[in-house]
Structure formats: structure tokens, C-alpha cells
Amino acid sequence: MVASKRLVVSCFLLVLLLAEANAQGLKVGFYSKTCPHAEDIVRKVVFAAMKKAPTLGAPLLRMFFHDCFGCDGSVLLDSSNNQAEKNAVPNLSLRGFGIIDDSKAALEKVCPGIVSCSDILALIARDAMVALEGPSWEVETGRRDGRVSNINEVNLPSPFDNIAKLITDFRTKGLNEKDLVILSGGHTIGMGHCPLMTNRLYNFTGRGDSDPSLDSEYAANLRKKCKPTDTTTALEMDPGSFKTFDVSYFKLVAKRRGLFQSDAALLDNSKTRAYILQQARGSTFFHDFGVSMVKMGRIGVLTGRTGEIRKMCRVPN
């Protein structure tokens, strides 16, 4: 039994070492010589799209998060038999693929075969936040694209997870408790839907009750919007501020008004709770968000001669 545990730990460390080695192939300004206007081209596409549909900011950020529990652009690939990552349940609500396509097409006209789809997605996530007057950060580039996308390999943190599960999932990707809190702060923009709240509002323990960690007044307001059989109604994750990238998410979580169980769970650990209260006072969120996004952007990357540079982001070459 002890030997088995040691083997698991050794394999885990090997995976981390390999991931770190690949991440060292990333750098800010990777395309400065091969495609010097790459970031400007992507930014122009994103800003134009966001001007027409500013609500796309949250889905684009979410898409990067979903891809970056292995940042190789695999979430962008289509499948003829609906067995790609984008067909997994957590990814069915992703939007904004057309912006990736438009950015890739614009780049292919100027510098064909140079900029990877996974790098485009990383740049788009940053630029979408800037378009919302949110934080900016220097994006490391140099990723290459994966050739395989498998629905069975989607293993994302869930809005139903408790704090122990969340911390474990993030640690396995090289992210700590602070990263968990800061990246959860992305819920300051965007919408959730009633099915993600039904059990929390109406049957939390199987006895027709609501989640006791949820503020009772907030729960009552949510029940007015979400009936038990409602499968379509959208809810602001950060009520009154869901279009603005700010610290109000942390203030709501501190008041037990986080929309998801995973939001509420952040109060169940001394470290994550301390970070919540610190950010609720307003201080370093914008800076810290950029730092955590860079860390997340190093997860599972392909660099050097691994992977490929796709000609189109929806299909391998």
C-alpha cells in the first residue's frame, strides 16, 4: 500500500516537472519577430466584437479557463461524432468560438502558420477583460495546438464542489488557494442558470430544504426567479454588477451571497476565507488576477516541436 502511494506521488511529480519544462517554452513577446503585429490583430477583432456584444466577455474568459485545465486549444476542436471536449456537459454553454475563428483568419492573412489557436485564446481572454475596463496583464505566448480532443478527458472544477475538492483540483494543476479565490473572482462578470441552483434552493440535503450557507434573503429572491422546474432562466453571478469587472463578487461571497456552492465553499477554509475578506476590502484584485491567469495559462501547454500550429482552430491540420 505504501509503495503504491509512493508510485502515485512519483507519477504526479513527474507530470508537474514535465508541465513546468513545457511552460518554460513560453515567453512574453514570443511572436515579436515572426508575427510582430499578432497581439494588435487579435485585440482589434476582440474590441470590435465586444463593442457589439459586451456580454461575450464572460464566456470568452470561461472558455480559456475550460481549455486551460490543459492549455492546448483542444476545447476549440469540432467532432463529427460529438465526442470532442466542447461536447462535454460543462462546455455546452461555451460561446464566442466565432471570435477565435475571426482572429485566426485575420492572422493567417498576415503571417500564415505562425500563431497557435491556444495562444489566440489566451490573448482573447486578456483583451476581453480590457474591453470591459478590467485588468490587463502580459500574456505569455509560444503554445502549440493539440491534435486530439476527447470528451472523456474533460475534468473541470464544478459549481457544486466543496472546498476540499476545489483545493485538490487546483493543486493538481499547480495552483494554490490564492489562485482558487482570485480565479473564482472571474464570477464578477457573466451569468449562471437556474439548473445550477435548483438543489441549493429547494432540496439541498434531499429533504426539501435550502443550503444553510446561503443568505436567507438572497435565497428568497432567487426562489422568486427560479422555480424548481426552471431550466432556462439566467441569473447574474454578481447581481447589479455582472457587466463590470470589480471586487463586488468578493463582497457578496463574504455576505454569504455567492451564487454557486463553490462560491460559498471559499468561506470554509481559513486561507481562502482570508483572501475573500482581503479582496472584499478592495486592494490587489486586478494585479492578482493577471498573475493567476498567467499561472493558469502554463497548465498542460505544448511547446517546441510538440503539437502543431493549426491552420483553422476547429480542426487539426
Side-chain angles (χ1 to χ4, degrees):
M1 186 69 174
V2 173
S4 177
K5 287 183 177 180
R6 285 176 179 169
L7 179 60
V8 170
V9 171
S10 297
C11 290
F12 173 63
L13 290 175
L14 179 59
V15 169
L16 287 181
L17 287 171
L18 289 171
E20 185 177 344
N22 276 343
Q24 289 176 357
L26 301 178
K27 68 176 183 177
V28 174
F30 181 85
Y31 299 109
S32 60
K33 294 182 179 179
T34 55
C35 190
H37 300 294
E39 294 198 24
D40 294 332
I41 291 169
V42 173
R43 186 179 300 110
K44 184 177 180 180
V45 173
V46 173
F47 276 39
M50 292 285 291
K51 188 174 182 179
K52 294 179 182 178
T55 56
L56 278 174
L60 291 171
L61 176 63
R62 184 165 168 253
M63 191 186 301
F64 181 62
F65 181 87
H66 282 218
D67 187 52
C68 271
F69 263 52
C71 301
D72 64 350
S74 53
V75 76
L76 305 174
L77 289 171
D78 289 336
S79 166
S80 59
N81 60 357
N82 294 324
Q83 292 299 302
E85 288 182 23
K86 64 169 56 173
N87 302 115
V89 172
N91 292 332
L92 292 176
S93 58
L94 292 179
R95 296 187 296 123
F97 291 101
I99 298 177
I100 287 87
D101 294 337
D102 291 344
S103 298
K104 180 61 173 174
L107 286 165
E108 287 295 301
K109 289 181 180 178
V110 177
C111 38
I114 299 297
V115 183
S116 69
C117 296
S118 47
D119 275 345
I120 291 170
L121 184 51
L123 293 168
I124 284 175
R126 187 267 313 276
D127 293 340
M129 297 307 96
V130 174
L132 291 175
E133 299 183 3
S136 181
W137 58 93
E138 290 191 313
V139 175
E140 295 178 338
T141 45
R143 298 169 190 80
R144 289 169 65 85
D145 299 320
R147 298 183 177 93
V148 178
S149 185
N150 188 336
I151 192 172
N152 296 316
E153 293 180 0
V154 175
N155 185 21
L156 293 162
S158 163
F160 307 107
D161 284 344
N162 60 33
I163 191 61
K165 179 70 163 53
L166 289 168
I167 289 174
T168 298
D169 285 351
F170 273 66
R171 279 181 179 169
T172 59
K173 300 297 183 178
L175 302 172
N176 59 29
E177 290 89 345
K178 184 175 183 179
D179 297 315
L180 166 59
V181 172
I182 295 300
L183 293 171
S184 295
H187 289 174
T188 185
I189 54 172
M191 311 287 284
H193 290 82
C194 287
L196 298 175
M197 290 296 296
T198 303
N199 283 352
R200 197 174 186 211
L201 293 174
Y202 294 103
N203 197 28
F204 189 66
T205 65
R207 300 176 182 176
D209 56 349
S210 61
D211 182 354
S213 71
L214 187 62
D215 174 75
S216 58
E217 182 180 347
Y218 182 46
N221 288 334
L222 288 173
R223 281 192 289 270
K224 291 177 183 178
K225 299 175 181 178
C226 287
K227 301 306 177 185
T229 57
D230 190 333
T231 61
T232 58
T233 298
L235 301 165
E236 298 175 7
M237 290 194 289
D238 188 349
S241 182
F242 77 105
K243 294 181 181 180
T244 307
F245 201 102
D246 54 29
V247 299
S248 58
Y249 163 82
F250 299 107
K251 295 178 180 179
L252 290 171
V253 172
K255 295 177 181 177
R256 300 190 298 119
R257 293 190 170 200
L259 186 63
F260 302 128
Q261 287 170 236
S262 59
D263 296 322
L266 299 176
L267 297 174
D268 295 338
N269 172 275
S270 60
K271 285 186 178 180
T272 54
R273 181 184 179 86
Y275 288 133
I276 287 287
L277 298 178
Q278 175 187 336
Q279 299 303 329
R281 292 191 292 270
S283 56
T284 62
F285 179 39
F286 276 32
H287 171 268
D288 293 346
F289 190 79
V291 172
S292 290
M293 286 291 284
V294 170
K295 286 180 67 176
M296 185 173 70
R298 296 169 179 164
I299 298 171
V301 297
L302 303 175
T303 58
R305 296 184 178 180
T306 58
E308 64 183 16
I309 305 297
R310 290 185 213 141
K311 296 176 182 178
M312 298 179 64
C313 290
R314 294 176 184 261
V315 293
N317 294 342

